[in-house]
Structures are given as structure tokens and as C-alpha cells.
């Protein structure tokens, strides 16, 4: 009798192939999960930037710019913001003892912070701007 040699895959080869397939699928799912997280973060950061631009565009428009702290929220509290307005001082300018011209325009620093999510370092946007303010003449309404 002539023995025929059978060809095919052994059980070990099939198990190894399934293990490689499982590892590849696990890696693919991890990559896709990370990609969706990045897309969600980009969407949140983009929306925060739009809200920040809107706020900065309104500063000093319609009502005079005033020194102080204000805060609020957008989209039912999903995005929170805080704005600090203070007179700007050049950190490199030497202190002056000369009289200050009260009628001269003044620079104000506007510091805006927008947060979303838990407000961690990746969930925060901070913008700074300078605004030139001309003083009102004496007796003019604000």
C-alpha cells in the first residue's frame, strides 16, 4: 500500500493565525479609539476658540472697557470662561516719576480663559490681547 501524504494546516498553525489576527484587531481598535478621542478634542477646542473669538470681538464694543473680572458660560455650562481686564504696564519700561497725562490713551490687557470638560491642561484655552482705550472727556457720559 502506498501511503498518501495529506496536506493542510495543523491545529497549531490555525491557533497561531487566530492569535495574530486577534492582536492585529486589538491594535486597530486601539488606534481607532485614540483617533475618535482626538477628533472629539479637536471639535471641543475649535468650538472653544470660536467662543473666545466672539468674546474678544465684543470687548469694549457697545460699552466702555472697564477694569475687573467677569465670567460666564456657553452652551448650558459646557464651556466656561473667565476674563480679566487690567491696565497694561510694560515689564521692561523703567518706573517713571513723571506726571501722567490723564487725557492720553491707555492700553488695557485682556486675559481670557475658556475651559471645557474637567478643565485640565488639554481642556483649556487661554488668549491675551491688548486694547487701546481713549479716555472720555470730562463730564461726558460713560
Amino acid at each position: 500500500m502506498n501511503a498518501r501524504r495529506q496536506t493542510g494546516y495543523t491545529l497549531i498553525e490555525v491557533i497561531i493565525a487566530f492569535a495574530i489576527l486577534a492582536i492585529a484587531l486589538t491594535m486597530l481598535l486601539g488606534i481607532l479609539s485614540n483617533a475618535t478621542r482626538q477628533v472629539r478634542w479637536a471639535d471641543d477646542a475649535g468650538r472653544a476658540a470660536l467662543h473666545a473669538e466672539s468674546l474678544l470681538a465684543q470687548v469694549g464694543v457697545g460699552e466702555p472697557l472697564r477694569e475687573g473680572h467677569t465670567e460666564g458660560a456657553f452652551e448650558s455650562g459646557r464651556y466656561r470662561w473667565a476674563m480679566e481686564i487690567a491696565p497694561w504696564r510694560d515689564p521692561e519700561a523703567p518706573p517713571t516719576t513723571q506726571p501722567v497725562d490723564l487725557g492720553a490713551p491707555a492700553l488695557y490687557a485682556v486675559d481670557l480663559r475658556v475651559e471645557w470638560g474637567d478643565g485640565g491642561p488639554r481642556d483649556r484655552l487661554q488668549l491675551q490681547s491688548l486694547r487701546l482705550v481713549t479716555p472720555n472727556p470730562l463730564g461726558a457720559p460713560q
Side-chain angles (χ1 to χ4, degrees):
M1 251 186 166
N2 205 354
R4 280 177 136 182
R5 189 159 189 221
Q6 291 185 354
T7 59
Y9 297 106
T10 64
L11 182 59
I12 297 292
E13 291 172 330
V14 171
I15 290 173
I16 290 173
F18 275 118
I20 291 172
L21 180 65
I23 290 170
L25 287 176
T26 301
M27 290 173 51
L28 180 64
L29 286 175
I31 290 169
L32 290 176
S33 172
N34 192 30
T36 56
R37 195 175 313 121
Q38 290 292 335
V39 167
R40 189 176 326 116
W41 177 84
D43 179 54
D44 287 341
R47 293 174 74 85
L50 288 174
H51 289 310
E53 284 180 21
S54 172
L55 279 171
L56 283 177
Q58 294 173 10
V59 171
V61 176
E63 63 180 56
L65 194 65
R66 295 190 199 281
E67 209 177 316
H69 176 85
T70 54
E71 55 187 46
F74 290 113
E75 296 184 18
S76 302
R78 183 173 177 197
Y79 296 92
R80 299 160 311 277
W81 61 270
M83 185 181 309
E84 192 74 37
I85 300 174
W88 183 78
R89 288 175 181 68
D90 186 357
E92 296 183 11
T96 180
T97 57
Q98 297 178 351
V100 177
D101 182 6
L102 297 177
L107 273 177
Y108 280 83
V110 179
D111 187 16
L112 174 64
R113 188 181 70 246
V114 179
E115 295 178 347
W116 61 95
D118 62 358
R122 287 185 44 91
D123 298 340
R124 186 178 320 155
L125 174 67
Q126 187 153 357
L127 301 173
Q128 296 175 331
S129 179
L130 291 176
R131 296 296 161 103
L132 185 65
V133 177
T134 55
N136 285 335
L138 294 175
Q142 290 268 5

